[in-house]
Amino acid sequence: MSTSARADVHVSHHRFLIQEQGDASAPSDVPNGLTASAPGVAVILTGVHTGVVDVTVRLTDAPPTGPDDGWDEVEEVELVSFTGEMRLVSLGADPPGGFPVLTAHGPGRYGMRVHARGRDIAEGGVTGVPAEFYQVTVWPIDVGPQARARLGIGVAEELGLPDKSREIREWAKRHGLPQHEPGRLVRAEPRLLVPAPTRAVAVAEEHRLRVVNPHQDTAPAPDLPAGLVAAAPDSLVIRTLRRRGRVDVHVNWQPSPPRMEAQGWEESEEIEFVTTTGIMQVATMTTDDDRRPNLTYQGAGRYGLRIHGRTRDRAQGRDGGQGRLSNRPGESYLLVVWPVELGAAAARDPG
């Protein structure tokens, strides 16, 4: 079943929004050039600076399967709605009439596919007659009571705890676009700005370093691995020899699988993992600026991880690492991360 509506939409500053009421900030960086999202809001970029564009909204029960013929660009992102009231919003004008609520199934996660045509016709100009055409298709991914619980909606209030959704929004403001997904590119591959390598100290607990989304830490953790690392959706566990104490963690991001092994490390292991939120952090890592690095800064999808361990034999000590505490980390880990397949579809199907 699908519902569709069409209207002329006023745009300003090369954009219009999909937004719900609240304090969510629209993404300012759109690597794929067409659309990006953050919790509670998404932005769609236009060629025209100020004027009107032709927009058709389609609500479906599942991802569209038809051909994309006749469109210049097609991109897909994921929407996160805390209210179930995300609407198409015009900048500097009254909301366009005739459009339904895009997230009618209530709070949760939705897919959004944006088709565009004619963005290069009046680029930078001001038009009163639509020369650009957009189709915005939205479908539910994870909605209903369980999705509400995963987003923390209503639970915090009942327990007298801080609102988890506000924490996620604040994280988005400070760290960029945790929900952004570059999506499917029709023209050229995006230019990925890979962060500089980082190093910090983390604390092992019960032989574990956990890698999770700390703002939505509801994913089941994998069992303690026999080797270096184990994965489950939205959750990784790195096995340390030390039961408790400080270890060094190095993070190195790559745009593709590394061709050469890192030198000087005594053991290594490679694994793939999935994130549905685009936020994966070493839970107990501490940095000078109190900002733990996001291993999956490119958004939801499937990633590769090559983990290396060093000086793990010396870290055991006389008690085999069963509780020795030290101010100087005795074991170190290098986490090399790269994207395998980005987007909501890859996050749903780990392959």
Side-chain angles (χ1 to χ4, degrees), residues 124-155:
V126 178
T127 66
V129 177
E132 301 178 29
F133 298 83
Y134 297 83
Q135 179 177 282
V136 180
T137 306
V138 179
W139 64 93
I141 295 176
D142 183 20
V143 296
Q146 292 183 346
R148 288 174 56 89
R150 278 188 284 271
L151 290 173
I153 299 170
V155 176

Side-chain angles (χ1 to χ4, degrees), residues 20 23-25 37-41 80-82 108-109 147-153 162-180 213-218 277-279 281:
E20 62 186 19
D23 57 358
S25 300
S37 69
V41 63
V80 174
S81 175
F82 298 103
R109 294 167 45 233
R148 288 174 56 89
R150 278 188 284 271
L151 290 173
I153 299 170
D163 182 1
K164 187 181 294 185
S165 65
R166 180 172 295 277
E167 292 180 15
I168 298 172
R169 287 190 176 110
E170 288 300 320
W171 198 98
K173 289 179 180 178
R174 295 194 305 270
H175 295 78
L177 309 174
Q179 294 293 337
H180 168 69
N213 179 346
H215 307 287
Q216 294 174 268
D217 188 5
T218 57
T277 64
I279 308 175
Q281 300 175 332

Side-chain angles (χ1 to χ4, degrees), residues 68-72 116-117:
D68 297 324
D69 297 342
W71 297 96
D72 298 335
R117 182 173 68 248

Side-chain angles (χ1 to χ4, degrees), residues 230-246:
D234 291 314
S235 182
L236 289 167
V237 167
I238 298 169
R239 181 178 187 134
T240 63
L241 290 182
R242 173 169 297 173
R243 182 170 70 86
R244 293 184 299 122
R246 294 152 56 92

Side-chain angles (χ1 to χ4, degrees), residues 3 27 42 53 111 128 130 149 158 176 178 185 190 206 209 212 233 249 294 307 310:
T3 301
V53 297
E158 293 177 6
L185 288 181
E206 300 301 324
L209 292 178
V212 295
V249 177
N294 181 14
I307 181 169
R310 183 170 59 194

Side-chain angles (χ1 to χ4, degrees), residues 12-28:
S12 178
H13 296 86
H14 296 287
R15 67 192 59 210
F16 61 95
L17 303 179
I18 310 295
Q19 193 173 33
E20 62 186 19
Q21 289 187 346
D23 57 358
S25 300
S28 58

Side-chain angles (χ1 to χ4, degrees), residues 243-278:
R243 182 170 70 86
R244 293 184 299 122
R246 294 152 56 92
V247 299
D248 266 328
V249 177
H250 307 248
V251 181
N252 189 340
W253 293 269
Q254 297 290 329
S256 59
R259 297 181 179 180
M260 300 180 63
E261 282 283 340
Q263 300 298 312
W265 297 88
E266 294 155 6
E267 56 182 317
S268 67
E269 189 171 327
E270 192 166 304
I271 197 170
E272 285 192 359
F273 66 96
V274 165
T275 169
T276 62
T277 64

